[in-house]
Amino acid sequence: MPRIELLVIQPTPFCNIECRYCYLPERNSKAVVAPETLVNLFSQVFASGWLHDCVSIVWHAGEPMVLPVAFYRDAFRMIDRTKPSGLTVTHSFQTNGTLIDEAWCDFFAEEGVNVGVSIDGPKRLHDRNRLTRSGRGTFDKTIRGIRLLRRREIPFHVISVLSVASMAVPSEMFDFYAEEGIERVCFNVEESEGDHVSQSFADGGVDAAYYRFLSEFWRLSSAMPGKIKFIREIEHALQQVIRPKDAPFNNQLVEPFAITSMDWAGNISTFSPELLGLKNAQYGDFLLGNINRDALVEMPQQLNFVRMTKDIQAGVAMCRERCEYFSVCGGGEPVNKLAENGSFVSTETTYCRVTKMRATDLVLNALERVPPSSSGRTEPSLPLGMPAHARDQPARSG
Ligand code: SF4
């Protein structure tokens, strides 16, 4: 039986800005999910038997904050009313931060929303790619939102998309976060997805550049403790590298329905959330049905699902057989295999070389330099200055 761990909901495909690397195909559409569609989704999800004791909801795949606060207050109350007792529901927003104001801060604080803000570093780097429709930089508005979150003491993390230019200047990036009091950072590398072809990937050598960047950024963080308290890529790599040998690796991206995504119209997809809006010559699209017309629990019988699952699992099996990083990766990201290799039934991508292989190498190299403690166990957190315990996992998107 599937187990839903994460629901990605697109409240609207619309975005108020136009980043150069955005892969969302409908970002000019001002469509909004209907309240009935949300009721249909949650009533079916809650009745499915596919949940355990908690589920995370990420409002994303467009700019969620272009809708009014009242929309989310209504949605959250409906979810509270219909959820089974004992189920913990957490909400996250991934936002470009340009619309954060006092009313949003009130809402985030009252509802305990996890907030992720996309900012690509200092103004000169951020404004290269994160632009308004008229081509102006969005840094000033985004940083104003971040400063307001800080003033209101609302916890947040940032996701920064790294370009060739930002990977070349780890100390400038570090100084920016430190000066702005940004303590929790996640890095995505500009990647090829949908119609977007990444310049970083096209240039080659991106994995070596990423390794150098992350290594220096981690060194600076360790040298100045208290400034950056969480680097997602290091934390995740540490968690995987030092977990017990027999502990299974849970790769949500290849588990059917572990991540369940719904677009504004009620269309459902699974595996990589980016598949929701993609079209492809081989599969057509990656939709499993529509929550307004189809039964969620019957979607595993859909032909599209059976085909995708078979191919994704074949790709995972190839990874298991061929890749020495499988135990810390679990077979990667289906959407990147499709975008870069043209097939789910494949293994290595530039994306996995960067995000899995080089991040793992970095942590392994660091651990090799750590002397064992008197108990004989390696204690990575002490000399490296980073806590090794599990933390929340911010959304990957940026
Ligand atoms: S690192 Fe790449 S090749 Fe290795 S298991 Fe992960 S996706 Fe497969």
Side-chain angles (χ1 to χ4, degrees):
M1 183 182 287
R3 172 177 167 177
I4 298 177
E5 297 173 6
L6 176 66
L7 277 171
V8 179
I9 302 176
Q10 180 186 54
T12 173
F14 184 71
C15 186
N16 60 327
I17 68 172
E18 175 96 350
C19 299
R20 280 195 207 280
Y21 42 63
C22 186
Y23 61 87
L24 294 172
E26 288 187 49
R27 56 190 178 273
N28 291 320
S29 162
K30 293 192 173 170
V32 178
V33 67
E36 307 76 54
T37 303
L38 290 177
V39 169
N40 288 341
L41 173 70
F42 283 99
S43 56
Q44 290 213 45
V45 165
F46 292 152
S48 65
W50 292 359
L51 293 171
H52 282 213
D53 48 1
C54 57
V55 65
S56 302
I57 301 170
V58 178
W59 300 87
H60 185 45
E63 171 49 51
M65 292 176 62
V66 298
L67 299 185
V69 172
F71 169 89
Y72 294 100
R73 286 197 192 280
D74 290 348
F76 283 25
R77 292 297 74 79
M78 179 276 291
I79 294 166
D80 288 344
R81 274 196 312 275
T82 48
K83 81 181 179 73
S85 62
L87 179 74
T88 303
V89 177
T90 59
H91 293 276
S92 302
F93 274 44
Q94 185 58 41
T95 171
N96 61 44
T98 58
L99 300 170
I100 295 172
D101 62 12
E102 296 284 356
W104 278 107
C105 289
D106 291 342
F107 172 72
F108 292 149
E110 285 160 25
E111 302 289 345
V113 174
N114 299 313
V115 183
V117 182
S118 302
I119 189 164
D120 289 354
K123 184 176 171 78
R124 79 170 184 90
L125 294 166
H126 178 97
D127 280 351
R128 286 180 177 207
N129 290 314
R130 293 197 176 268
L131 305 170
T132 63
R133 282 195 170 63
S134 56
R136 294 161 65 140
T138 58
F139 178 87
D140 293 342
K141 285 187 175 154
T142 300
I143 203 68
R144 194 176 62 207
I146 285 176
R147 288 172 184 161
L148 184 54
L149 290 174
R150 285 192 59 220
R151 202 158 57 243
R152 293 287 306 270
E153 298 183 354
I154 293 169
F156 68 97
H157 63 269
V158 300
I159 294 184
S160 297
V161 177
L162 296 174
S163 61
V164 173
S166 51
M167 280 190 280
V169 289
S171 65
E172 185 182 343
M173 293 288 282
F174 178 85
D175 289 346
F176 164 71
Y177 302 120
E179 278 161 23
E180 289 293 343
I182 295 169
E183 297 175 339
R184 295 167 56 86
V185 299
C186 313
F187 295 118
N188 289 346
V189 178
E190 183 199 344
E191 57 193 286
S192 297
E193 264 179 351
D195 293 337
H196 176 70
V197 178
S198 159
Q199 193 53 46
S200 317
F201 281 20
D203 284 350
V206 63
D207 50 336
Y210 179 78
Y211 184 95
R212 284 193 299 273
F213 171 84
L214 201 56
S215 174
E216 179 60 6
F217 193 91
W218 191 15
R219 190 192 68 74
L220 290 165
S221 305
S222 301
M224 283 173 259
K227 298 279 188 200
I228 308 290
K229 296 183 177 158
F230 175 77
I231 307 170
R232 182 187 59 186
E233 286 54 47
I234 298 295
E235 294 275 344
H236 284 189
L238 274 169
Q239 283 169 31
Q240 297 314 326
V241 166
I242 64 177
R243 78 184 198 278
K245 207 167 174 226
D246 49 357
F249 184 87
N250 175 27
N251 181 1
Q252 288 179 326
L253 295 156
V254 300
E255 290 299 326
F257 295 96
I259 301 175
T260 299
S261 310
M262 186 186 82
D263 71 10
W264 70 272
N267 296 310
I268 300 288
S269 188
T270 184
F271 306 113
S272 306
E274 297 88 342
L275 292 173
L276 190 57
L278 289 190
K279 300 255 188 296
N280 171 278
Q282 200 187 344
Y283 296 90
D285 59 36
F286 301 93
L287 304 180
L288 311 179
N290 187 293
I291 205 70
N292 295 318
R293 159 215 56 244
D294 303 310
L296 177 70
V297 292
E298 287 172 14
M299 290 185 192
Q301 278 89 56
Q302 290 284 333
L303 203 60
N304 228 7
F305 173 80
V306 173
R307 203 163 152 224
M308 274 164 66
T309 305
K310 184 168 153 277
D311 290 350
I312 287 170
Q313 293 310 330
V316 171
M318 286 167 74
C319 281
R320 185 182 293 111
E321 206 173 284
R322 298 179 192 176
C323 178
E324 60 181 333
Y325 295 84
F326 183 79
S327 69
V328 294
C329 170
E333 269 268 20
V335 76
N336 293 94
K337 290 184 176 183
L338 191 69
E340 292 190 42
N341 302 334
S343 172
F344 290 135
V345 192
S346 65
T347 58
E348 196 172 321
T349 59
T350 302
Y351 179 79
C352 78
R353 269 200 301 282
V354 173
T355 60
K356 289 294 173 186
M357 297 184 185
R358 296 300 80 83
T360 304
D361 292 346
L362 177 58
V363 163
L364 286 173
N365 289 342
L367 288 174
E368 272 174 18
R369 297 197 299 272
V370 177
S373 70
S374 53
S375 68
R377 284 176 47 221
T378 302
E379 302 288 354
S381 64
L382 301 177
L384 302 173
M386 292 297 296
H389 57 269
R391 305 278 188 95
D392 293 345
Q393 181 175 332
R396 171 187 163 218
S397 321

